[in-house]
């Protein structure tokens, strides 16, 4: 009886249901946990994503099971509805808005062109993805990786190609974490030392009235032009209005601390929980990883080339390095521009100048997502 009981216990345990595919995904999740903890690659999101991947590939947990036959679904199934319905990315944009200073963009409106130019990778990746056999909806979801905006990538993919969500989310956040490795070689290849040495004049001071009016005007213009972008742009600008109004300190503090942290946990774990072995271990995943890197590189190239054009048109007053910050990884991309500028000229201080294109990239990636939704949803 004792031996039979042990056999029954083993047969009903997860050990009996383990497959080599599950083991591969478990090992991959452990590698991502290592990168998050030891290498500090976007740990705030990569760690919950990796742990969610670990949980879902442990057999017979039922964590993502949908309700059936009167039985309740798994815990992560219900939490995942916030991703599926676009709730979590919008709430993260609310928190991002409270942490974003649009002052550098307002002081130099031409930064908007650099933010737009840095969406070039989205177009390139979309065209190549279609050529490789992806549907337009899938290609649009892959292309948005080039915007270097994780919440936007998750939002768009959940609407257009939910089956690709784990691959695209992990690619987007991995490449965002690798900005300090990916961008500098491209920046040095496309700019001369003389261009990198250019010192830029101090930005003008932006008034409180301008900072309060900006999110209101952007909301009106962007949503009238692209109604589908309302959840992202609306929440981003509401958060910024909380920050700049000066009368909602409690709301601003909650949005940029407690709220965004809670939502990040739910978003990360549930996105990771979609990375089952059946969906993730496929040739399509390798294509997505490659196309995501291509999108990222071409977005950097697009921003730099437009930066060089603006440098020429301004008579050498604009350092083209700030164009690389047009991708919306705030503030990491701006810091990379600052570092490269100081390597060429130790007295160069580009951070605030690069923040203009950087926050313009946040708006640009959201607008790009709205255009893709309008075309392909």
């Amino acid at each position: 009886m004792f031996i039979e009981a042990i056999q029954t216990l083993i047969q009903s345990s997860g050990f009996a249901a383990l497959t080599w595919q599950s083991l591969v995904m478990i090992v991959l999740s452990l590698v991502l946990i290592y990168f998050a903890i030891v290498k500090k690659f976007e740990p705030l999101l990569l760690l919950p994503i990796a742990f969610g991947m670990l949980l879902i590939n442990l057999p017979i947990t039922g964590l993502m099971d949908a309700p059936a036959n009167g039985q309740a679904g798994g815990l992560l199934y219900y939490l995942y509805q916030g991703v599926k319905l676009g709730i979590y990315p919008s709430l993260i944009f609310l928190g991002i808005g409270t942490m974003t200073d649009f002052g550098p963009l307002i002081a130099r409106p031409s930064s908007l062109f650099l933010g737009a130019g840095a969406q070039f990778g989205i177009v390139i990746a979309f065209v190549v993805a279609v050529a490789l056999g992806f549907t337009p909806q899938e290609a649009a979801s892959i292309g948005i990786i080039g915007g270097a905006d994780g919440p936007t990538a998750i939002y768009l993919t959940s609407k257009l190609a939910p089956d690709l969500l784990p691959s695209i989310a992990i690619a987007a956040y991995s490449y965002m974490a690798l900005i300090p490795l990916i961008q500098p070689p491209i920046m040095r290849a496309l700019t001369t030392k003389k261009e990198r040495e250019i010192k830029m004049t101090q930005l003008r001071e932006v008034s409180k009235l301008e900072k309060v009016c900006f999110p209101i005007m952007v909301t009106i213009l962007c949503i009238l032009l692209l109604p589908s972008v309302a959840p992202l742009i609306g929440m981003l600008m509401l958060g910024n209005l909380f920050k700049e109004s000066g009368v909602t300190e409690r709301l601003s503090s909650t949005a940029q601390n407690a709220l965004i942290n809670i939502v990040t946990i739910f978003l990360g774990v549930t996105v990771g929980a979609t990375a089952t072995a059946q969906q993730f271990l496929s040739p399509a995943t390798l294509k997505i990883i490659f196309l995501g890197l291509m999108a990222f590189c071409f977005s950097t190239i697009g921003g730099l080339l437009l930066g060089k054009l603006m440098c020429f048109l301004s008579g050498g007053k604009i350092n083209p390095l700030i164009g690389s910050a047009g991708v919306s990884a705030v503030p990491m991309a701006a810091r990379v521009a600052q570092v490269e500028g100081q390597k060429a000229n130790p007295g160069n201080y580009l951070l605030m100048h690069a923040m203009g294109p950087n926050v313009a990239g946040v708006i640009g990636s959201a607008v790009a997502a709205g255009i893709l939704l309008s075309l392909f949803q």
Side-chain angles (χ1 to χ4, degrees), residues 168-238:
I168 288 175
I170 291 171
Y173 280 101
S174 296
Y175 292 136
M176 285 172 63
L178 293 172
I179 278 179
L181 297 178
I182 295 173
Q183 285 196 324
I186 301 173
M187 296 162 77
R188 290 190 288 268
L190 293 182
T191 58
T192 65
K193 188 173 187 297
K194 184 178 179 180
E195 288 173 332
R196 295 194 294 274
E197 290 175 345
I198 294 174
K199 282 188 175 182
M200 297 180 65
T201 57
Q202 186 174 353
L203 293 169
R204 71 174 179 85
E205 186 175 347
V206 178
S207 69
K208 180 177 179 179
L209 178 61
E210 289 176 291
K211 289 189 175 184
V212 170
C213 291
F214 182 80
I216 298 172
M217 296 306 299
V218 170
T219 300
I220 293 172
L221 293 175
C222 286
I223 295 178
L224 282 177
L225 180 64
L226 292 166
S228 59
V229 83
L232 296 180
I233 289 291
M235 290 297 100
L236 178 69
M237 294 304 158
L238 175 60

Side-chain angles (χ1 to χ4, degrees), residues 46-177:
L46 189 57
L47 186 57
I49 285 177
F51 202 81
M53 185 188 299
L54 174 65
L55 286 174
I56 203 60
N57 286 288
L58 295 172
I60 326 179
T61 60
L63 287 170
M64 282 289 278
D65 289 352
N69 301 322
Q71 298 293 319
L75 170 65
L76 297 185
Y77 167 82
Y78 291 107
L79 293 180
Y80 180 68
Q81 301 311 302
V83 176
K84 190 174 181 179
L85 299 174
I87 297 171
Y88 296 157
S90 301
L91 291 179
I92 285 181
F93 259 59
L94 176 66
I96 291 172
T98 62
M99 295 185 285
T100 301
D101 181 7
F102 286 109
L105 175 58
I106 300 170
R108 182 177 282 118
S110 59
S111 297
L112 280 170
F113 295 107
L114 296 175
Q119 310 307 313
F120 179 57
I122 297 176
V123 178
I124 296 296
F126 173 84
V127 172
V128 176
V130 170
L132 289 176
F134 288 98
T135 66
Q137 290 78 11
E138 292 171 338
S141 301
I142 294 168
I144 203 66
I145 296 173
D149 190 332
T152 300
I154 290 171
Y155 179 82
L156 183 67
T157 306
S158 66
K159 301 290 185 184
L160 297 182
D163 289 345
L164 301 183
L165 185 57
S167 304
I168 288 175
I170 291 171
Y173 280 101
S174 296
Y175 292 136
M176 285 172 63

Side-chain angles (χ1 to χ4, degrees), residues 225-303:
L225 180 64
L226 292 166
S228 59
V229 83
L232 296 180
I233 289 291
M235 290 297 100
L236 178 69
M237 294 304 158
L238 175 60
N240 189 249
L241 192 58
F242 284 162
K243 174 181 182 290
E244 301 297 353
S245 67
V247 295
T248 54
E249 288 86 355
R250 286 169 55 191
L251 299 182
S252 178
S253 177
T254 298
Q256 67 182 279
N257 293 292
L259 179 61
I260 197 170
N261 289 336
I262 291 169
V263 174
T264 297
I265 293 171
F266 290 166
L267 175 69
V269 173
T270 53
V271 165
T274 62
T276 60
Q278 293 81 1
Q279 289 183 323
F280 199 82
L281 296 178
S282 66
T285 299
L286 294 177
K287 292 179 183 177
I288 289 169
I289 299 297
F290 167 74
L291 289 168
L293 179 59
M294 175 191 292
F296 213 98
C297 290
F298 274 100
S299 287
T300 301
I301 290 169

Side-chain angles (χ1 to χ4, degrees), residues 7-89:
Q7 289 177 337
T8 301
L9 180 62
I10 292 174
Q11 290 171 359
S12 63
S13 71
F15 287 103
L18 274 175
T19 63
W20 70 267
Q21 293 96 334
S22 296
L23 288 172
V24 169
M25 294 302 296
I26 290 170
V27 171
L28 178 58
S29 69
L30 295 177
V31 171
L32 293 177
I33 289 173
Y34 168 81
F35 282 135
I37 296 175
V38 179
K39 299 298 184 181
K40 296 181 173 60
F41 286 175
E42 288 289 331
L44 294 181
L45 201 62
L46 189 57
L47 186 57
I49 285 177
F51 202 81
M53 185 188 299
L54 174 65
L55 286 174
I56 203 60
N57 286 288
L58 295 172
I60 326 179
T61 60
L63 287 170
M64 282 289 278
D65 289 352
N69 301 322
Q71 298 293 319
L75 170 65
L76 297 185
Y77 167 82
Y78 291 107
L79 293 180
Y80 180 68
Q81 301 311 302
V83 176
K84 190 174 181 179
L85 299 174
I87 297 171
Y88 296 157

Side-chain angles (χ1 to χ4, degrees), residues 347-373:
N348 218 349
Y349 296 95
L350 297 177
L351 184 60
M352 291 310 297
H353 300 284
M355 283 302 297
N358 211 184
V359 297
V362 177
I363 299 173
S365 64
V367 169
I371 292 172
L372 293 171
L373 274 174

